[in-house]
Each structure stands twice: as structure tokens, then as C-alpha cells.
């Protein structure tokens, strides 16, 4: 994927070569620390991951995994969910929060998959963005986890940790962080790297408490400790 801003120019990165070396070192250390890291949302079909990702906004993956069991039991296919009344979907997904908007996005998304994509989730990033409720983060997750294509998922863990590590400099806007990481992270590493950031962010480099830097595999190269 080409890294461009709205003006079709690459984002400028200070000390680009140095940050690329840092990124490679971080990737290798996180691989050793979290060799089995992956998506924590349960799914066996692409459309189910689309649904779960939408429900995961401001909700834990663990809760989503429980809630979707009932949803998919009642509506086991794209067609079934597309035909469902949005109010019925809302009653099931309400425990995930924001039930009204999430249910309507899911309903509209399934209808579009049924009517415009022959019941298939597209493997094209720009087409994914056309689906209701699907933003860049969700589209990248689908591209990486479902289709095995290069992806950078800039969730809250990714943004927080890459700033602390010094890969990005005081940038909180998800798309800008994504554009910078495309320049630093080898394409074949992006998806797994982001999953490992999530695990590291939950266990060590936490948000709600002080990070456990004394137990961090990156403590000697992390900007926070330098």
C-alpha cells in the first residue's frame, strides 16, 4: 500500500532510517515475547469478524465473543442477518453498548454484502471502507487476518505504544499513525505486529496503570526509558 496523505505526499518522518532499525528490533523482541499472538475475536467466517469488530467498539473482545454466540445462533448467515429487523439485532447486542447504532450498522452492512457483493466479504481495502460501520481499523483487520494481506491496525494500544516507544512522535490521529507505520514496518509483519502490541498493551504497557517497565522486553530501547 502506498503511503500518502490527502496531498498524495508521504508523511515526513525524522530519523527515518533510525526508526526503521528500531521498528525491526521491536518486532523481533515482541515475536519472542508473544509467539502465538493473534486476533482475540472468535470467528470462522469473514462476515462474522466484520460483525464482531463493529461490536468491539468501546467493548471488550471477551464480551463480544459471548454476545455473538447468541446473535449467530439466531442469524447463522449473511442473508439471515440482512433479513433480520434491526431492533431484534439491537436486543441481542445491547450488552456490548451503543446497541442502536451498532445494530443498524450491522444490518446495513449485511444488506450491502448480500445485495452488492454476492454474499461475500470483499478482499479489497477500498471496497471494505464502503461497508456501513467499517473504518480503516476494521478494514485493515479484515485484510490482515482474513485475507493474509499487508495490514496496519491502529487501535488504541497501537497508538499509545508506538508513541511511547518512539516510532511516532506525539501523534494520536489513527490514520496518521497508520501512514507512518506503513513506512517503518515491513508489509508482511504489520498484522502480527499490531496483534502483539495489543497483547503487550494489556499485560505490560498498560493504559490505566503505570506501565510495568521493569518487566518489559523493550525497556532498554523504549523512548519512555531513554
Amino acid at each position: 500500500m502506498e503511503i500518502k496523505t490527502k496531498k498524495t505526499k508521504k508523511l515526513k518522518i525524522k530519523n527515518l532510517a533510525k526508526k526503521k532499525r528500531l521498528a525491526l528490533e521491536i518486532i523481533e523482541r515482541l515475536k519472542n515475547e508473544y509467539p502465538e499472538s493473534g486476533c482475540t475475536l472468535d470467528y470462522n467466517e469473514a462476515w462474522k469478524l466484520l460483525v464482531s469488530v463493529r461490536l468491539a467498539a468501546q467493548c471488550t473482545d471477551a464480551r463480544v465473543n459471548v454476545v455473538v454466540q447468541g446473535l449467530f445462533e439466531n442469524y447463522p448467515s449473511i442473508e439471515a442477518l440482512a433479513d433480520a429487523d434491526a431492533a431484534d439485532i439491537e436486543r441481542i447486542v445491547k450488552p456490548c453498548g451503543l446497541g442502536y447504532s451498532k445494530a443498524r450498522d450491522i444490518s446495513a452492512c449485511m444488506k450491502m454484502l448480500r445485495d452488492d457483493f454476492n454474499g461475500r466479504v470483499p478482499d479489497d481495502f477500498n471496497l471494505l471502507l464502503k461497508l456501513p460501520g467499517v473504518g480503516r481499523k476494521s478494514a485493515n483487520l479484515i485484510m490482515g487476518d482474513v485475507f493474509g494481506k499487508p495490514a496496519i491496525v491502529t487501535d488504541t494500544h497501537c497508538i499509545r505504544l508506538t508513541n511511547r516507544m518512539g516510532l511516532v512522535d506525539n501523534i494520536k490521529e489513527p490514520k496518521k499513525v497508520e501512514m507512518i507505520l506503513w513506512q517503518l514496518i515491513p508489509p508482511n509483519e504489520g498484522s502480527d505486529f499490531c496483534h502483539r502490541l495489543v497483547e503487550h498493551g494489556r499485560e505490560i504497557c498498560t493504559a490505566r496503570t503505570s506501565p510495568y517497565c521493569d518487566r518489559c522486553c523493550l525497556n532498554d530501547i523504549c523512548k519512555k526509558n531513554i
Side-chain angles (χ1 to χ4, degrees), residues 45 67 154:
E45 295 181 73
V67 169
T154 48

Side-chain angles (χ1 to χ4, degrees), residues 50-150:
L50 267 180
V51 171
S52 292
V53 170
R54 182 65 188 95
L55 292 177
Q58 300 182 43
C59 182
T60 66
D61 289 358
R63 174 168 291 184
V64 171
N65 288 336
V66 171
V67 169
V68 294
Q69 291 180 25
L71 182 66
F72 297 148
E73 285 175 4
N74 283 277
Y75 308 107
S77 67
I78 290 174
E79 293 75 14
L81 202 48
D83 290 338
D85 190 288
D88 293 331
I89 297 173
E90 182 181 355
R91 277 192 287 272
I92 297 174
V93 305
K94 188 176 181 179
C96 293
L98 304 174
Y100 179 85
S101 60
K102 289 180 179 181
R104 274 142 190 81
D105 281 345
I106 289 169
S107 177
C109 182
M110 295 301 111
K111 284 180 169 64
M112 184 174 285
L113 288 179
R114 180 194 63 193
D115 299 338
D116 298 344
F117 294 100
N118 297 316
R120 294 179 178 274
V121 176
D123 62 352
D124 179 278
F125 185 81
N126 291 318
L127 290 178
L128 285 169
L129 291 179
K130 294 181 181 296
L131 296 172
V134 176
R136 297 187 67 86
K137 182 179 74 172
S138 301
N140 270 298
L141 184 67
I142 297 296
M143 292 296 287
D145 279 49
V146 174
F147 299 115
K149 296 187 177 183

Side-chain angles (χ1 to χ4, degrees), residues 17-41:
K18 181 179 179 181
K19 288 190 176 185
K20 282 186 174 181
R21 291 193 297 271
L22 175 62
L24 291 176
E25 181 65 22
I26 291 172
I27 287 169
E28 289 307 309
R29 292 194 188 191
L30 292 180
K31 276 185 181 181
N32 290 331
E33 196 74 9
Y34 311 104
E36 303 299 326
S37 189
C39 183
T40 52
L41 291 169

Side-chain angles (χ1 to χ4, degrees), residues 11-12 18 44 108 110 143 152 166 180 197 203 212 220:
L11 292 170
K12 292 182 179 179
K18 181 179 179 181
N44 56 11
M110 295 301 111
M143 292 296 287
I152 297 288
I180 290 172
L197 288 180
E203 295 187 10
Y212 301 101
D220 60 319

